[in-house]
Amino acid sequence: MTLEILTADRLVPAHHGFFTRRGGASSGVFSGLNCGFGSTDQSEMVAINRARVADAMGVVRLTSVHQVHSANVRTVTTSAPDDAPVRADALVTNLPDVALAVLAADCQPVL
């Protein structure tokens, strides 16, 4: 199944997308496009889902944080994978081959 990506005309030319659950590899209670390594979903399925999102965005890396409801901001300075999740609630970068991700369930993401 193809990923469903929602975009907003008002955010152009920023390359962006809001992804639904459609097109993901996860099953059971995580059925769909679960991209959260902090969940109890199978890590292999989360990795597949994240790779699908990165591919859809045309980047080599999808990066996100362990969200903690803080004012902490992380600056992404490399395309290399993270060694450990960083506890923060915002990301910034100037790297064109990195997509910044915010995972949301019942909170409103801000772009």
Side-chain angles (χ1 to χ4, degrees):
M1 181 184 289
T2 306
L3 299 182
E4 182 178 27
I5 309 167
L6 309 174
T7 59
D9 292 339
R10 289 184 178 208
L11 296 176
V12 173
H15 188 60
H16 68 284
F18 297 90
F19 291 79
T20 68
R21 296 173 67 95
R22 189 173 294 166
S26 297
S27 61
V29 297
F30 298 105
S31 181
L33 193 66
N34 177 29
C35 292
F37 279 120
S39 69
T40 57
D41 194 0
Q42 298 175 35
S43 59
E44 298 84 12
M45 295 300 106
V46 173
I48 289 169
N49 290 335
R50 292 176 70 92
R52 289 179 181 179
V53 170
D55 184 57
M57 295 298 292
V59 297
V60 298
R61 177 177 169 208
L62 175 70
T63 189
S64 57
V65 293
H66 176 90
Q67 293 162 248
V68 293
H69 300 283
S70 70
N72 299 337
V73 178
R74 174 172 181 216
T75 301
V76 179
T77 59
T78 178
S79 298
D82 291 335
D83 291 331
V86 174
R87 297 174 65 85
D89 285 294
L91 297 167
V92 295
T93 193
N94 62 354
L95 301 174
D97 60 345
V98 173
L100 306 178
V102 174
L103 306 178
D106 59 353
C107 296
Q108 179 65 37
V110 177
L111 175 63

